[in-house]
Amino acid sequence: MEILDRYLQAVKKQLPLKRQDDIIAELRANLEAQLEDKESALGRPLTTGESEDWLRELGAPVQVAAKYQPQQYLIGPMLFPTFWYVLKLVWLWATVIYVIVNVVKIAGAPSGTALLDAVLQWPLALATSTAWVTLIFAAIEFAVRQYPEKWRQMGVPLPVGGDWQPSSLPLLEKDAEGGKKPKSRSAAIAEVIFGFVLLVWLLLVPYHPYLLLGPGALYLQGSPFQLAPVMVTVYWVLVALTGLKFVWIALQLGRGRWQQTQPPVHKWIEAMGLIPMGMLLATPQHLFVTLKNPALDQARYGSALEAINKSIYLCALLVVAIAAMELVWWLGKMGMGAWRRRVAA
Amino acid sequence: MTVTDNLFDNLRLELRRGCLTLAVLAQLREEHYGYTLRKALAERGMVIDESTLYPLLRRLETQGLLASQWREEDKRNKRFYRLNADGEQMLGQLLAEWNQTNAAIQNILDNQL
C-alpha cells in the first residue's frame, strides 16, 4: 500500500539514525498485520479514504516518532529556576549597559537617527544576551546529564535528587536576619557565576583596557596621563578581595550553607574593601595619576592633572565615608541583636 | 471539549499510565508481537493506541524487563516479545503494589459509605 509506505517513510525521517531501520521494520510488520485484519473483516481492500482515516487515527508521523524517543529538553526542570533568575539579571544589566553606551555615543554626535537606531536595536541586544545565556545553560545541562558521576567525583553539588540536602531548605521568613527574605539557591548560584565573571573581568582589564573604558581606552592610550604605582597596588588588593569573596560564596554554596548568615564572613570581606580605599586616601600628595612626560607636558596639562587627582581623592573620600557608615550601622545592629538575645535569655 | 472534559482526559491519562505497563507485563507472560499483543489486551478490555504500545515495548526491553526476537511468521518478519526473569520479578512486585493500592482505595471508599 503506497500511502502506508509514505507514512512509514515520514516516521523514519524523524527517528534517530541508529535505530530507525529496526523500529520501522517492526512498525511495518505490526501495521501490515493490522491492515490485513481490517481488509479480511471487510472482505475487500481499504479505499483511499478509509486508509487515510486509519493513518490519521495512528497519529501524525512526527508524533509517532517522538514517542520512540526519550523526553528531550534544552534546560531541565532542575536548572530552569537558576536559568530564569540569571536571564532576568542579564536582561537588566544588558539594558543598563546598552543605555549607558548609547547615551555616550549619542552625546558625542546627537541625532534623531542614532536615537531611533538605538531604540530599534535594543531587542536585538536582549535576544543576543538571551541566546548566550541559553547556550551556556544548555551546555551545563548537557554536561550534568551526560557525566553526573564525574561532577560528583569533583565535589560539585548537582541540582538533582540524590544531592539534595535538608540544610539547603529555605529559612522560615520570620527567622531570617532582619526579617529579610532568605537567599534562594538560584540567587546563590547566580552570585557564584557573577563572582567568577567579575574576577575574570578584573584580571583581564590591565591587558584589555577597553573592557573597562570601552572606546575610551584608545583616548587613554594616546593621552599624556598614566596611572601612578599606588593604583597598581590598589588594583591587586581589589583582585585579592574579589577572589576571596568568590572562594567564600562558592564554598558556602558547595557546602549547602548559602542561607546561613552566621558567621557573616562576607560582611567582613566587604569591610576589608576599606583597605584599598584607605590606601588611596593615604597616598602622598594624592598622586593617583601622573604625566607620562612631566618635563614636556607639565605646563600644558598640569592644571588638568591636579583636577583629576583631586576628583579621585574626593570620590575615594566619599566612598570610604559611605562604607564606614554602613559598617558602623551593621556593627550597631549586630550589637543590639546580641544584647536583645542576652536579655531574652 | 469543555474544561472538565479536558481535565478528565488528563487525569484519566495519568491514572492509566502505570496500569498500561502492568497490563503489558502481565500479558507478556505469553509471547506476542506488537499487533497480537494489542489485540489480546483489547479483548480483555485494555485498549491501547499503537503509538503508545509499540514504543512502550521498546522502553520495557531497554529497561531489561523483556526479551525480544525477530522471527518469520506468515511469511513476514516480526519481533516477538516475552517477559524475562527480571520482568517476572518486577511484575510480581508491581502486582503486590497494585493489590495494596486497590485494597487501600476500596478501604477508603467503604469507610465513607
Side-chain angles (χ1 to χ4, degrees):
Chain A
M1 186 193 241
E2 192 222 349
I3 198 156
L4 179 60
D5 292 337
R6 282 163 54 199
Y7 181 81
L8 290 171
Q9 176 186 272
V11 175
K12 185 177 175 177
K13 284 191 175 167
Q14 308 292 331
L15 290 169
L17 200 65
K18 217 166 114 185
R19 300 191 302 149
Q20 56 181 210
D21 286 337
D22 193 47
I23 290 173
I24 290 298
E26 183 182 9
L27 196 55
R28 177 183 292 282
N30 287 328
L31 294 183
E32 283 179 351
Q34 190 177 352
L35 181 65
E36 270 177 20
D37 266 12
K38 277 182 182 290
E39 290 182 339
S40 70
L42 287 169
R44 60 171 172 79
L46 293 188
T47 64
T48 308
E50 285 167 343
S51 308
E52 286 179 0
D53 287 345
W54 172 52
L55 292 178
R56 201 174 296 117
E57 268 175 40
L58 292 176
V62 67
Q63 286 173 321
V64 172
K67 290 198 176 178
Y68 280 96
Q69 297 182 54
Q71 198 180 357
Q72 289 176 320
Y73 41 74
L74 206 56
I75 297 164
M78 291 297 176
L79 271 184
F80 191 81
T82 312
F83 164 73
W84 185 233
Y85 181 83
V86 170
L87 191 59
K88 282 190 285 186
L89 273 184
V90 167
W91 280 341
L92 176 72
W93 283 106
T95 304
V96 168
I97 293 168
Y98 188 81
V99 168
I100 292 171
V101 167
N102 279 285
V103 163
V104 171
K105 217 166 92 180
I106 293 167
S111 85
T113 321
L115 182 67
L116 189 67
D117 273 359
V119 171
L120 292 178
Q121 284 180 13
W122 175 63
L124 188 67
L126 287 191
T128 310
S129 45
T130 305
W132 277 108
V133 173
T134 309
L135 200 65
I136 291 167
F137 272 84
I140 296 172
E141 176 75 37
F142 177 80
V144 167
R145 239 185 310 155
Q146 293 292 313
Y147 311 105
E149 286 314 313
K150 284 192 178 170
W151 288 88
R152 284 197 186 95
Q153 281 164 10
M154 284 170 6
V156 178
L158 297 182
V160 290
D163 288 338
W164 177 78
Q165 293 173 17
S167 61
S168 67
L169 286 169
L171 297 174
L172 290 176
E173 293 197 8
K174 62 177 182 180
D175 292 341
E177 187 187 29
K180 284 184 198 162
K181 202 175 169 189
K183 196 193 292 176
S184 67
R185 185 188 175 101
S186 310
I189 293 173
E191 203 176 0
V192 171
I193 294 171
F194 276 94
F196 178 73
V197 171
L198 178 65
L199 188 61
V200 172
W201 177 76
L202 261 182
L203 288 168
L204 287 175
V205 161
Y207 306 101
H208 306 283
Y210 62 84
L211 288 173
L212 178 65
L213 302 167
L218 288 174
Y219 294 107
L220 187 72
Q221 214 174 10
S223 82
F225 305 110
Q226 64 180 9
L227 294 175
V230 68
M231 297 300 272
V232 178
T233 315
V234 166
Y235 164 78
W236 283 112
V237 174
L238 273 176
V239 169
L241 287 174
T242 310
L244 192 65
K245 189 170 178 187
F246 167 70
V247 169
W248 171 251
I249 55 178
L251 275 176
Q252 289 294 86
L253 179 65
R255 289 149 70 193
R257 295 181 185 170
W258 66 87
Q259 290 159 337
Q260 293 182 5
T261 51
Q262 297 296 331
V265 175
H266 63 284
K267 212 62 182 169
W268 290 115
I269 297 172
E270 276 176 23
M272 282 160 73
L274 284 170
I275 296 171
M277 300 313 288
M279 286 168 69
L280 281 183
L281 293 182
T283 307
Q285 299 174 313
H286 305 150
L287 279 178
F288 313 111
V289 175
T290 57
L291 288 169
K292 286 178 188 166
N293 201 337
L296 280 179
D297 295 329
Q298 182 61 40
R300 192 172 173 192
Y301 297 108
S303 53
L305 180 72
E306 198 181 329
I308 291 170
N309 281 326
K310 200 170 177 185
S311 305
I312 295 176
Y313 176 74
L314 286 175
C315 283
L317 196 63
L318 190 68
V319 170
V320 167
I322 293 170
M325 278 193 290
E326 198 194 1
L327 184 64
V328 169
W329 173 256
W330 175 69
L331 285 171
K333 259 174 55 179
M334 287 253 299
M336 283 293 286
W339 179 74
R340 280 194 191 127
R341 280 195 295 276
R342 196 182 295 167
V343 170
Chain B
M1 187 181 273
T2 66
V3 175
T4 315
D5 288 343
N6 212 350
L7 180 62
F8 172 72
D9 276 351
N10 285 340
L11 293 175
R12 181 171 162 270
L13 199 69
E14 274 182 40
L15 190 63
R16 266 173 62 93
R17 197 169 288 145
C19 301
L20 293 184
T21 305
L22 190 58
V24 167
L25 290 176
Q27 189 61 47
L28 282 176
R29 285 182 289 194
E30 289 170 26
E31 191 180 63
H32 283 284
Y33 74 95
Y35 180 57
T36 54
L37 172 65
R38 183 168 173 261
K39 278 208 301 187
L41 288 168
E43 279 162 15
R44 288 159 181 79
M46 184 62 80
V47 177
I48 309 183
D49 289 344
E50 296 90 340
S51 61
T52 302
L53 178 63
Y54 304 151
L56 175 62
L57 289 172
R58 294 264 170 171
R59 270 203 301 282
L60 292 172
E61 192 194 19
T62 309
Q63 287 163 353
L65 303 176
L66 303 180
S68 76
Q69 188 189 23
W70 279 100
R71 210 169 54 233
E72 195 178 308
E73 189 193 74
D74 298 334
K75 296 179 187 171
R76 190 174 287 142
N77 258 334
K78 293 167 183 169
R79 189 172 189 149
F80 288 85
Y81 292 91
R82 190 186 189 94
L83 211 57
N84 64 17
D86 287 345
E88 287 276 3
Q89 198 185 346
M90 184 62 73
L91 176 62
Q93 288 173 336
L94 288 175
L95 281 176
E97 189 65 32
W98 163 263
N99 288 331
Q100 195 185 338
T101 307
N102 207 16
I105 288 180
Q106 198 55 54
N107 204 8
I108 291 165
L109 292 173
D110 288 347
N111 281 338
Q112 285 171 346
L113 293 175

